[in-house]
Amino acid sequence: MERLRLWAQALWVFLSNGYWAFPVSGTLYQGPLKVLCSPGLNCYSCPAATAFCPIGSLQQLLLGVRLALRSGHLYLGAYVLGCMGLMGTVFGRLICGWACPFGLVQELLHRIPSPKVAVPGLFVWGKYLVLLVLVVILPLTVIDDFGLGLPWFCKFLCPAGTLEAGIPMMLLMPDLRSGVGVLYLYKLSLLALVLLWAIAACRPFCRTLCPLGAFYGLFNRFSLIRLKFNADNCTKCGACHRICPVDIRVDQSPNSGECIRCLRCCIEACQFDALSVEIAGYAWRTRPAPSDQPRALNGCS
């Protein structure tokens, strides 16, 4: 299951960033696929990106609402919100565990041998604050003289944008280097801190700062794909908790908003059929052979 998940993540990296002509063209992809919503956090301005980022598009929608109202128009953004809502309803945070390019980057970094640390429980609320304040409130309320807001999350926080767009565009277009200032250096420093943190802690950005993860997490309890816990079979051995990469007590909250639905951890660790995957109401569980049992008891590996 774990190998399948890693292959799925790698596949989505290439599907979301499939325009490999950019070194020759020197431009961003602007073809027909750019109207499709990428399921994971993937910067629209990445020169290889073939789909739009849901969080970036949501901000663009909200920062123009005031100007649209002034001109007598109201854009509800049904397509953007509909795409995000549909994916959340069907998958919940399974998207984070199976289809997010920046999530894969963090997992691979966590495999580097180093002392490992836990993410403080209080920090997980940070992503909901980011979603509410940087993605929704500030783009709606803080506007310029023309009535437009700013994409606060993309401009001041998103490390995925720096990694996928900021650095490649600087390499691709040398003329941009003369405009490098404090903001770009700040974003580089922030990216470096997140990547270093990812070596020591499993998916720290996903768990503490990612607004897309916060949004999908709101659907975890209601999505078509969920975890099902059978209390009668549970022996309270704690195996599911010890192996969980995001430190969830699966036996207490199997559909926590923090669960990224990696599926290999708790499902394969449980030897008593207390946990299964529920797809549209139907339970599904596969037990690996004894030799295939996961050896790691914590982390992303």
Side-chain angles (χ1 to χ4, degrees):
M1 180 66 75
E2 179 63 3
R3 182 172 295 180
L4 174 63
R5 188 176 70 87
L6 290 175
W7 275 108
Q9 290 183 91
L11 176 64
W12 277 108
V13 169
F14 288 102
L15 288 178
S16 301
N17 301 280
Y19 180 65
W20 294 103
F22 70 86
V24 177
S25 67
T27 60
L28 302 180
Y29 173 75
Q30 297 294 333
L33 295 179
K34 210 61 179 270
V35 300
L36 299 178
C37 181
S38 172
L41 195 70
N42 193 71
C43 186
Y44 179 96
S45 296
C46 172
T50 52
F52 67 79
C53 173
I55 289 296
S57 297
L58 179 60
Q59 285 179 105
Q60 290 295 327
L61 167 70
L62 295 177
L63 64 84
V65 165
R66 300 279 286 273
L67 182 61
L69 290 175
R70 280 187 189 178
S71 61
H73 300 284
L74 177 60
Y75 298 104
L76 297 178
Y79 178 69
V80 174
L81 293 174
C83 287
M84 295 175 65
L86 179 62
M87 290 189 291
T89 301
V90 175
F91 301 106
R93 286 200 75 180
L94 181 138
I95 291 171
C96 300
W98 288 73
C100 183
F102 197 64
L104 175 61
V105 169
Q106 293 174 83
E107 286 194 23
L108 294 178
L109 286 172
H110 193 66
R111 294 184 175 217
I112 297 175
S114 71
K116 306 302 180 184
V117 298
V119 173
L122 188 62
F123 285 20
V124 302
W125 294 100
K127 60 182 173 293
Y128 296 99
L129 188 64
V130 170
L131 175 63
L132 181 64
V133 177
L134 294 187
V135 177
V136 178
I137 293 179
L138 290 181
L140 275 174
T141 58
V142 180
I143 59 176
D144 58 22
D145 294 337
F146 300 100
L148 286 172
L150 287 174
W152 288 77
F153 171 73
C154 294
K155 185 172 182 177
F156 298 108
L157 183 58
C158 184
T162 307
L163 179 64
E164 297 174 3
I167 296 175
M169 292 302 292
M170 200 64 64
L171 297 174
L172 190 64
M173 299 181 178
D175 293 343
L176 295 177
R177 297 172 191 171
S178 60
V180 169
V182 175
L183 178 60
Y184 185 77
L185 297 177
Y186 154 74
K187 292 291 294 292
L188 282 179
S189 301
L190 182 61
L191 171 63
L193 288 174
V194 169
L195 297 182
L196 288 173
W197 192 10
I199 296 175
C202 183
R203 284 177 167 254
F205 176 77
C206 304
R207 298 164 65 184
T208 64
L209 293 171
C210 181
L212 188 58
F215 180 85
Y216 288 146
L218 298 176
F219 292 84
N220 261 11
R221 297 182 186 276
F222 316 104
S223 61
L224 292 181
I225 301 177
R226 297 183 295 172
L227 293 183
K228 185 176 181 180
F229 174 63
N230 187 338
D232 294 335
N233 291 351
C234 182
T235 63
K236 304 296 181 184
C237 66
C240 58
H241 175 59
R242 290 194 299 274
I243 202 172
C244 180
V246 291
D247 299 321
I248 298 170
R249 294 304 304 250
V250 187
D251 57 334
Q252 296 177 9
S253 183
N255 291 296
S256 164
E258 302 308 309
C259 179
I260 60 171
R261 303 283 200 260
C262 66
L263 302 184
R264 61 109 181 164
C265 296
C266 50
I267 301 295
E268 295 186 4
C270 181
Q271 299 300 300
F272 305 98
D273 290 335
L275 289 164
S276 61
V277 181
E278 189 177 72
I279 304 176
Y282 294 93
W284 171 76
R285 187 186 195 279
T286 58
R287 178 187 293 278
S291 61
D292 294 329
Q293 292 295 326
R295 296 179 181 179
L297 292 181
N298 207 345
C300 294
S301 59

